[in-house]
Amino acid sequence: HCLLTLVAAGLTFGQQAVPSLRLSMVSEGFSDPTQIVSPRDDSDRMLVVEQAGTIRAFSLETGAIYPEPFLDIRAKVFQRPVACCDEEGLLGLAFPLDHGPKDHCFVFYVDPDRNIVISRFDVDPAALRADPASEKVLQTVPHPLRNHFSGTMSFNPADGLLWLGIGDGSQADAVEESQNPDSVYGKVLRFNPYDPEAK
């Protein structure tokens, strides 16, 4: 897989400027990417989340992929069948909002028992590598089926909380969990990852 950037340019249409887009190749060679994230560490590095359980860094300047993964938790992640379309895996990554080197990060993945797991990992800021042995599990959410996990998560600058999407827990929301206000499925959740009990 490759990563592309969209560059907007202005065209004149009548009296109004109509934007146009131009595709530019940034980097390639990734496997089943699910997210691309900036660590906001003042480097030129970007991180690509790969569904099988790795996160790899590449240089925005050159497009080159760094040889060592930022994080490798393939042993903790549900491995999808090669032939088809299950949605389990490593799905999300988030960094604290402050700029500069980070000493930890947060990930969203599906474990071998199909539980959604939200975890914190320690990061070596100099090497931009996370320690897979440092995992601190913050939340575990059982999931009834093999799809609709969601996985997107991000810190909200307005409240400083970690916001994350949880899928509806079934195909086409067959059990109507999204309509149940007491269910976590089909919701955007927010919590303080430094005090997970303060939901």
Side-chain angles (χ1 to χ4, degrees):
H1 291 81
C2 63
L3 300 174
L4 303 171
T5 58
L6 296 176
V7 180
L11 298 177
T12 302
F13 184 79
Q15 299 299 315
Q16 296 181 339
V18 177
S20 64
L21 299 176
R22 183 176 71 252
L23 295 177
S24 299
M25 178 74 73
V26 177
S27 186
E28 60 183 329
F30 300 98
S31 177
D32 297 322
T34 58
Q35 191 177 17
I36 179 171
V37 177
S38 168
R40 293 193 295 271
D41 65 348
D42 301 322
S43 74
D44 78 328
R45 294 175 285 197
M46 296 290 285
L47 296 171
V48 178
V49 179
E50 296 181 314
Q51 197 166 2
T54 52
I55 300 173
R56 296 202 283 167
F58 73 92
S59 166
L60 271 175
E61 183 178 345
T62 67
I65 299 174
Y66 287 79
E68 296 294 330
F70 170 78
L71 180 64
D72 185 343
I73 54 169
R74 285 174 289 181
K76 300 174 182 286
V77 171
F78 184 98
Q79 296 301 316
R80 303 178 305 135
V82 174
C84 192
C85 43
D86 290 7
E87 299 170 8
E88 301 94 344
L90 179 55
L91 303 176
L93 169 67
F95 286 93
L97 289 172
D98 56 301
H99 288 271
K102 308 295 192 300
D103 62 6
H104 61 277
C105 67
F106 300 90
V107 301
F108 180 125
Y109 68 90
V110 179
D111 72 12
D113 294 321
R114 286 197 169 97
N115 298 308
I116 292 171
V117 180
I118 310 300
S119 288
R120 172 178 168 167
F121 289 88
D122 294 338
V123 174
D124 177 349
L128 190 69
R129 293 187 64 188
D131 178 4
S134 69
E135 180 178 20
K136 179 181 180 181
V137 175
L138 304 178
Q139 296 286 326
T140 301
V141 181
H143 198 280
L145 292 179
R146 69 182 193 183
N147 57 4
H148 295 197
F149 294 94
S150 187
T152 300
M153 63 179 185
S154 181
F155 280 91
N156 181 355
D159 60 18
L161 299 178
L162 183 62
W163 289 44
L164 55 98
I166 300 291
D168 58 28
S170 63
Q171 283 188 301
D173 196 20
V175 292
E176 297 187 350
E177 291 285 353
S178 298
Q179 287 72 41
N180 179 358
D182 296 321
S183 169
V184 298
Y185 300 113
K187 310 292 189 301
V188 174
L189 308 181
R190 58 181 181 173
F191 71 100
N192 180 350
Y194 303 104
D195 182 9
E197 296 305 314
K199 302 184 182 74

